Amino acid sequence: MDKIYNFCAGPAMLPEAVMKQAQAEFCNWQGLGVSVMEVSHRGKEYIAMAAEAEQDLRDLLNIPDNYKVLFCQGGGRGQFAAAPLNLLGDKKSISFITTGQWSKGAVAEGEKHAQASVFDALSGNEQGQISVKPSAEWQLDKDAAYVHYCPNETIEGIAIDEIPDVGDMVLVGDFSSTILSQPIDVSKFGLIYAGAQKNIGPSGLAIAIVRDDLLDNAHPLTPNIFNYSLLAGSDSMFNTPPTYSWYLAGLVFKWLKQQGGLTAMAEKNAAKAELLYSYIDSSDFYQNNVAPENRSKMNVPFQLANSELDAAFLAESAAAGLVTLKGHRIVGGMRASIYNAMPIEGVQALVDFMADFAQRNR
């Protein structure tokens, strides 16, 4: 094999250019003779890098000035707890929209801290495919502190591309698997959070983008490490942050700017998804059971018509340099995660392999 293409859902592949730069700087960062992992997070060099990374993220997402950007520990699951601990205030409930395993995971954590009002937004179309009810049909708890949803379910490959209209309610989005893949109108949200290991950088880091007026609502028993107000007041350095993950995220942000920003990335991601879905839909050997309007551009699950061939497909695809294609145990089959760092050449290589495998195994 000449090239390895990593379709892992997370931790996911990073841009090759970013990896090479990190490799070149690994032992001698900024001419200091030491690694960025070895310098103080309170030193002037690291603080400057961290501030630059935050500004690059603000530029990419066009984040308004009345939002704080927090570099947090604990990943996306940590934010499942941090969101209610910080945003409940004097409210008693949270309005959850569920579309898959990750939005259900937020419910399981959130109901430890508040009453959970849950609306299952999944539906089906006339073709028997999974779809999502439009937000106008969502049943919301109007007295809730906020509405929580997940715009991209990594496991099931279900996406909500529209920003839900929840009126005057606070909207919270778990963007762990779709952030930075396309522009977002941040001003529509009270809180956006994302685990890093899909489109931001390595695992161990989470980003929280929170509106200023929602700060200072934290429950008195909120651990300091999860307290948004405290983190905002200390520039996300209340304690030692995940320094190397922050540094790598900063390199990814610069790489995204070099690619033309999020509008350009959205076009590239749409082209990759169209290439793969079009082939699946044209074949009777493979299938995807998500309605076209709710198909994820980041995670493409698919099944073979004959599941007895799954093991052979995985073994042969790996031998061809197409790795980590096994679907999540909940849904089975295959899953190709095609985040920002996956080039269209990788998707084309996958489609070519799928066509050849189908021809040989009919």
Side-chain angles (χ1 to χ4, degrees), residues 295-319:
R295 285 176 168 176
S296 169
K297 296 182 179 68
M298 298 287 97
N299 311 99
V300 183
F302 59 93
Q303 293 77 38
L304 279 65
N306 180 2
S307 61
E308 293 181 358
L309 292 170
D310 284 3
F313 182 95
L314 289 169
E316 293 183 28
S317 60

Side-chain angles (χ1 to χ4, degrees), residues 208-355:
I209 303 168
V210 58
R211 204 171 63 214
D212 285 351
D213 65 292
L214 298 176
L215 297 174
D216 301 321
N217 285 329
H219 189 281
L221 296 180
T222 302
N224 285 342
I225 194 62
F226 283 151
N227 188 305
Y228 289 161
S229 182
L230 185 60
L231 289 173
S234 58
D235 295 324
S236 302
M237 294 189 186
F238 168 72
N239 72 330
T240 305
T243 56
Y244 198 68
S245 294
W246 195 334
Y247 153 78
L248 274 172
L251 296 188
V252 171
F253 301 154
K254 290 192 178 301
W255 176 82
L256 285 168
K257 282 187 164 184
Q258 293 165 3
Q259 305 308 302
L262 301 192
T263 299
M265 291 310 303
E267 293 174 356
K268 294 177 181 179
N269 288 327
K272 291 185 294 184
E274 174 64 22
L275 174 60
L276 183 49
Y277 283 119
S278 291
Y279 172 71
I280 293 171
D281 289 342
S282 70
S283 170
D284 60 1
F285 196 86
Y286 305 97
Q287 64 180 5
N288 171 277
N289 66 347
V290 180
E293 64 271 19
N294 292 122
R295 285 176 168 176
S296 169
K297 296 182 179 68
M298 298 287 97
N299 311 99
V300 183
F302 59 93
Q303 293 77 38
L304 279 65
N306 180 2
S307 61
E308 293 181 358
L309 292 170
D310 284 3
F313 182 95
L314 289 169
E316 293 183 28
S317 60
L322 310 169
V323 300
T324 330
L325 282 166
K326 186 176 182 179
H328 193 277
R329 63 185 180 277
I330 291 175
V331 297
M334 311 300 155
R335 175 176 54 174
S337 293
I338 51 176
Y339 302 115
N340 285 343
M342 175 61 68
I344 196 165
E345 291 82 4
V347 180
Q348 185 63 62
L350 174 59
V351 168
D352 291 344
F353 171 82
M354 291 169 68

Side-chain angles (χ1 to χ4, degrees), residues 22-325:
Q23 181 184 45
E25 298 176 345
F26 191 74
C27 294
N28 184 13
W29 180 61
Q30 294 192 0
L32 297 176
V34 295
S35 173
V36 67
M37 291 186 291
E38 300 172 305
V39 300
S40 170
H41 62 291
R42 303 195 188 280
K44 63 179 182 178
E45 294 88 359
Y46 192 89
I47 289 175
M49 182 282 298
E52 192 170 335
E54 177 182 332
Q55 187 58 55
D56 285 340
L57 180 61
R58 285 183 174 276
D59 294 344
L60 286 164
L61 287 171
N62 195 26
I63 299 174
D65 291 340
N66 64 320
Y67 284 74
K68 293 291 189 292
V69 176
L70 309 177
F71 290 76
C72 310
Q73 300 185 58
R77 285 191 180 273
Q79 294 304 306
F80 287 173
L85 285 169
N86 282 276
L87 302 185
L88 270 173
D90 59 0
K91 299 282 189 176
K92 303 298 183 184
S93 64
I94 304 167
S95 195
F96 287 100
I97 307 301
T98 58
T99 49
Q101 293 302 310
W102 287 113
S103 50
K104 290 177 182 178
V107 175
E109 188 68 40
E111 63 186 2
K112 297 177 182 178
H113 310 282
Q115 298 172 8
S117 175
V118 181
F119 179 73
D120 182 356
L122 291 183
S123 184
N125 62 17
E126 294 179 355
Q127 289 72 43
Q129 296 172 313
I130 300 170
S131 62
V132 179
K133 297 173 185 176
S135 60
E137 298 179 12
W138 294 358
Q139 296 176 19
L140 305 177
D141 175 3
K142 298 297 184 181
D143 295 324
Y146 58 89
V147 179
H148 180 282
Y149 85 115
C150 180
N152 190 84
E153 293 281 5
T154 316
I155 293 174
E156 297 88 352
I158 298 170
I160 303 172
D161 288 330
E162 64 164 339
I163 294 180
D165 182 2
V166 296
D168 295 331
M169 298 184 71
V170 174
L171 182 62
V172 174
D174 172 6
F175 276 77
S176 293
S177 56
T178 190
I179 196 167
L180 297 175
S181 65
Q182 61 187 15
I184 307 170
D185 186 351
V186 174
S187 69
K188 301 292 186 182
F189 294 85
L191 168 67
I192 289 171
Y193 67 84
Q197 65 271 19
K198 319 287 189 178
N199 273 331
I200 295 174
S203 58
L205 176 72
I207 301 292
I209 303 168
V210 58
R211 204 171 63 214
D212 285 351
D213 65 292
L214 298 176
L215 297 174
D216 301 321
N217 285 329
H219 189 281
L221 296 180
T222 302
N224 285 342
I225 194 62
F226 283 151
N227 188 305
Y228 289 161
S229 182
L230 185 60
L231 289 173
S234 58
D235 295 324
S236 302
M237 294 189 186
F238 168 72
N239 72 330
T240 305
T243 56
Y244 198 68
S245 294
W246 195 334
Y247 153 78
L248 274 172
L251 296 188
V252 171
F253 301 154
K254 290 192 178 301
W255 176 82
L256 285 168
K257 282 187 164 184
Q258 293 165 3
Q259 305 308 302
L262 301 192
T263 299
M265 291 310 303
E267 293 174 356
K268 294 177 181 179
N269 288 327
K272 291 185 294 184
E274 174 64 22
L275 174 60
L276 183 49
Y277 283 119
S278 291
Y279 172 71
I280 293 171
D281 289 342
S282 70
S283 170
D284 60 1
F285 196 86
Y286 305 97
Q287 64 180 5
N288 171 277
N289 66 347
V290 180
E293 64 271 19
N294 292 122
R295 285 176 168 176
S296 169
K297 296 182 179 68
M298 298 287 97
N299 311 99
V300 183
F302 59 93
Q303 293 77 38
L304 279 65
N306 180 2
S307 61
E308 293 181 358
L309 292 170
D310 284 3
F313 182 95
L314 289 169
E316 293 183 28
S317 60
L322 310 169
V323 300
T324 330
L325 282 166

